[in-house]
Amino acid sequence: MQLFRPGANTIATVMIAAIGAAPVLAVGLSYEVMLSPYVTNQNISRNQPVPFSHEHHVSGLGLDCRYCHASVEKARFAGIPPTETCMTCHSQIWTNALMLAPVRESLSKNQPIAWERVHRLPDYVYFDHSVHVAKGVGCTTCHGDVGRMRLMRQAAPLTMQWCLDCHRSPERFLRPREAVFDPNWQAPKNQAEIGPKLAAGYHINTGHLTDCTICHR
Amino acid sequence: MTLRSLSSLLLLSLALAGCGDHSMSQQNRYSTFSKAGLFRDGTEAQPLPQGTVAQGDPERSRQITTPPAVDMALLSRGRERYDIYCSPCHGFSGHGDGMIVQRGFPAPPSYHSARLRSADAQHFFDVITHGYGAMYSYAARVEPRDRWAIIAYIRALQQSQHADVADVPELRSKLP
């Protein structure tokens, strides 16, 4: 008596292979989802109450990052400028621009502008801007080519793997102190040579940079 | 439905519920500048209550009244702060022709005018602290010590535009 048709062998092989492959594919798919912009928010431009252009203010006008983000050298938080900072210039120029109406309204009503947050770390992560800029990590190393961004977006995935990537060997990214806020800095050809010297000069203890308590306190 | 399929369904839903739990990554507290329903104006960033003395306030008050000694380190600091906060309008050389002025901001007076060359340091300090004319106050962004550093650098800029050949050692011999 013939119980199985000749094709049954193929189906059985495929089924056995599928049972083996399913967990691998499932894990692979989960990883892809975890690292996708859907979860990390990488490269997603957000709609803001005012379409503020870093391209115009950084590349066009040449403003230093610290002109607006004034606490970046002193505090954990780099600082979102108060409305007065915008009005330092816009009380005199573009005073009737429709685009800037929310800024004027914020000043007259004494209500902060509700910007959409672009970079958000999980609450169990401790991060301090001041120590990074003091130790030669430049703005654009993490924030990308801000001077070419019309609307702000998160250039890096901000995953733990991405953080550790630098914490394991920061010398690949370190800059001399005067270049930290340079929006156009590129690693020089001899970075492999000067990087370790910079790390030593900044007293960076690479042996402890990947300790759990460095970021999870 | 059998007991086995029920229990596997339960396990699956438990596993999926794990994905929706953000209590670790978004903890029940306000982060810097976040919306905060607790306060009437809806923001976490609250103005300091009246009469608050912040840590380091006595030292800051002291810095306002006692200008630091001028040395190369102070001048470098002054140059850095000047380039960040002043150069957009006053220009890198202090002629009042910065980028924002080129874009339509009313031109500030040149530091090289007779009036500002003879103005005392306190005048510059007060202008940085309180603003002047169209210029806003920079007190929130430039600490008292940095204001003195900027003033020292402005003095250097003023000297650079009114220097004699005799002011630079051995320059005379290098000139054709």
Side-chain angles (χ1 to χ4, degrees), chain A residues 18 41 44 116 142:
Chain A
N41 291 324
I44 295 176
E116 282 294 322
C142 301

Side-chain angles (χ1 to χ4, degrees), chain A residues 66-67 73 76 88 123, chain B residues 25 27 29 32 81 138:
Chain A
R66 292 164 286 184
Y67 188 85
E73 293 174 296
R76 191 180 65 78
T88 309
D123 281 351
Chain B
S25 57
Q27 292 165 21
R29 58 173 165 85
T32 313
R81 297 293 121 175
Y138 278 75

Side-chain angles (χ1 to χ4, degrees), chain A residues 56 60-70 73-74 76-77 79-81 83-85 87-94 107 111-112 114 116-117 120-125, chain B residues 24-29 31-35 40-43 77 80-81 83-89 92 99-100 103-106 133-138 140-143:
Chain A
H56 168 67
L61 303 176
L63 292 178
D64 190 282
C65 309
R66 292 164 286 184
Y67 188 85
C68 302
H69 304 291
E73 293 174 296
K74 293 181 286 194
R76 191 180 65 78
F77 195 65
I80 296 294
T83 305
E84 281 78 7
T85 300
M87 294 303 273
T88 309
C89 297
H90 291 296
S91 61
Q92 300 291 330
I93 45 183
W94 294 105
L107 191 81
Q111 275 281 328
E116 282 294 322
R117 206 184 164 110
R120 162 162 243 134
L121 289 174
D123 281 351
Y124 48 77
V125 175
Chain B
M24 280 288 280
S25 57
Q26 287 169 38
Q27 292 165 21
N28 196 13
R29 58 173 165 85
S31 41
T32 313
F33 287 4
S34 67
K35 281 183 186 163
R40 198 164 294 155
D41 58 359
T43 168
R77 175 80 182 172
E80 187 195 55
R81 297 293 121 175
D83 287 355
I84 299 169
Y85 296 109
C86 316
S87 71
C89 289
F92 287 104
M99 178 57 100
I100 309 301
R103 301 297 176 100
F105 200 93
M135 174 178 160
Y136 271 37
S137 160
Y138 278 75
R141 283 180 270 177
V142 185
E143 296 219 356

Side-chain angles (χ1 to χ4, degrees), chain A residues 67 70 74 82 84-85 88, chain B residues 57 60 63-64 85 124-132 135-147 150:
Chain A
Y67 188 85
K74 293 181 286 194
E84 281 78 7
T85 300
T88 309
Chain B
D57 264 357
R60 266 187 290 277
Q63 285 175 2
I64 290 173
Y85 296 109
F124 291 94
F125 191 94
D126 292 342
V127 170
I128 299 172
T129 309
H130 303 296
Y132 191 94
M135 174 178 160
Y136 271 37
S137 160
Y138 278 75
R141 283 180 270 177
V142 185
E143 296 219 356
R145 195 186 141 85
D146 288 340
R147 289 172 221 164
I150 287 173

Side-chain angles (χ1 to χ4, degrees), chain B residues 115-168:
Chain B
R115 177 174 74 85
L116 287 181
R117 274 171 55 75
S118 57
D120 61 359
Q122 189 63 43
H123 171 74
F124 291 94
F125 191 94
D126 292 342
V127 170
I128 299 172
T129 309
H130 303 296
Y132 191 94
M135 174 178 160
Y136 271 37
S137 160
Y138 278 75
R141 283 180 270 177
V142 185
E143 296 219 356
R145 195 186 141 85
D146 288 340
R147 289 172 221 164
W148 291 120
I150 287 173
I151 294 162
Y153 182 64
I154 290 174
R155 292 295 192 219
L157 283 179
Q158 288 176 333
Q159 202 177 4
S160 75
Q161 301 298 309
H162 285 80
D164 281 335
V165 174
D167 293 337
V168 186

